[in-house]
Amino acid sequence: MQGTIDGFSYGLVTPLVAYLMACLGGALGLRCTTRSMLVSRSWRPGWLALGSAAIGSGIWTMHFVAMMGFTVKETPIHYDKAMTFASLAVAVVMVGVGIFIVGYRGARGAALFTGGTITGLGIASMHYLGMAGMRLDGKLEYNTFTVAVSVVIAMGAATAALWAAGQVRGLMWSVGASLVMGLAVSGMHYTGMAALDVHLHGTGTPAGGDSPAALLAPMLVGPLAFLLLAGAVVLFDPKMIMGRPAEAPVVDKPGVPAHPTVPHQVRRATLRTRRTAGTRGSRTPQNH
């Protein structure tokens, strides 16, 4: 017997809160990645690690906030605690690998593609590992094509977000990128949920594990507290607001290499000299 799935049992509350969590984690993670490109190499690992934890915690929180509104009408849903924690660890580690690649190799070419692919696979792995932690009186089955589409969405979102972080522009640039990333991560989640079918066993045997209220609600406190702490670190760092520092002004001093625009100025001076010479020549008498 097929179960009746409802992914919006609380209406739009859980999707909206989940989207905000994805945006918050993405914004903090992208700003930390941007910050790592403005500091010395000794400080870079710390900022990249903070960004990895922020994005991983954000997408994990988004997933399980959304799952608070997921129900199967014919059976209660419980969650395995070990699998749920493992999904958080996978998200942080795999996102971290992708971010470190971009942080040290740059957000372009092969490094961007590799980092985005690994980060996207981390997001998808977190989702499906978290789903594997569900315990109910039935079996979960997925449509292969829809699952593949959700993974492609995750990889594309991660690549675009890392590219945006590598631009090292102002705060509003990263805010816009985080909104897009939050939308893509949420889209990946609900695309993956659309691939799901539940086939009930009909045995009436109670599922093992903890209920959502007993497990998920307390577990969400930790990542939320971390995101607030990471937000405070980012907020009180002045370079987070300014983006890429302005280039130093060119000083015209003896011994200082010429500015690249000097040859252009020389050409103008030469052209002005020729025009002057031509004008003077035109003033000479034409008849002798």
Side-chain angles (χ1 to χ4, degrees):
M1 182 175 65
Q2 187 169 352
T4 305
I5 295 175
D6 184 6
F8 305 94
S9 59
Y10 294 104
L12 293 178
V13 174
T14 48
L16 289 177
V17 175
Y19 171 69
L20 292 176
M21 290 299 101
C23 292
L24 177 60
L28 295 176
L30 293 179
R31 290 310 291 169
C32 290
T33 305
T34 298
R35 183 67 173 89
S36 71
M37 299 178 183
L38 302 175
V39 297
S40 61
R41 295 182 70 89
S42 60
W43 285 91
R44 187 172 299 177
W47 282 107
L48 293 175
L50 183 61
S52 305
I55 294 179
S57 299
I59 61 177
W60 184 88
T61 305
M62 174 269 152
H63 172 80
F64 283 103
V65 166
M67 292 305 294
M68 293 287 286
F70 177 82
T71 59
V72 179
K73 184 178 179 180
E74 295 81 3
T75 179
I77 299 175
H78 292 175
Y79 288 88
D80 181 78
K81 186 177 295 185
M83 292 287 284
T84 304
F85 274 115
S87 65
L88 174 60
V90 167
V92 173
V93 171
M94 291 192 69
V95 168
V97 172
I99 285 180
F100 268 78
I101 290 175
V102 171
Y104 279 94
R105 298 293 184 182
R108 59 186 180 275
L112 176 61
F113 176 78
T114 303
T117 299
I118 294 175
T119 301
L121 290 176
I123 296 173
S125 299
M126 179 280 303
H127 173 86
Y128 291 106
L129 187 59
M131 295 296 294
M134 293 175 57
R135 298 290 180 264
L136 48 78
D137 184 26
K139 179 182 179 182
L140 305 181
E141 294 185 356
Y142 294 94
N143 180 279
T144 304
F145 176 77
T146 310
V147 169
V149 171
S150 70
V151 174
V152 171
I153 291 174
M155 293 168 57
T159 302
L162 292 177
W163 174 83
Q167 302 308 300
V168 198
R169 299 184 183 179
L171 177 64
M172 296 308 298
W173 177 267
S174 291
V175 170
S178 66
L179 294 176
V180 175
M181 183 179 183
L183 182 63
V185 171
S186 299
M188 176 268 156
H189 171 84
Y190 286 105
T191 301
M193 296 306 294
L196 175 66
D197 286 321
V198 178
H199 294 274
L200 301 175
H201 297 321
T203 61
T205 305
D210 298 324
S211 66
L215 176 64
L216 296 184
M219 287 184 67
L220 291 174
V221 174
L224 284 174
F226 170 77
L227 290 175
L228 292 177
L229 179 61
V233 172
V234 171
L235 180 64
F236 288 103
D237 183 56
K239 288 188 178 180
M240 288 290 88
I241 306 299
M242 295 183 294
R244 185 186 294 275
E247 296 181 358
V250 178
V251 180
D252 187 12
K253 292 182 179 180
V256 177
H259 194 274
T261 58
V262 169
H264 184 62
Q265 295 175 354
V266 170
R267 286 196 298 271
R268 287 186 175 181
T270 304
L271 182 60
R272 190 179 297 112
T273 302
R274 292 177 179 175
R275 289 179 177 176
T276 304
T279 304
R280 290 177 179 176
S282 63
R283 291 178 181 176
T284 57
Q286 300 297 322
N287 299 321
H288 295 282

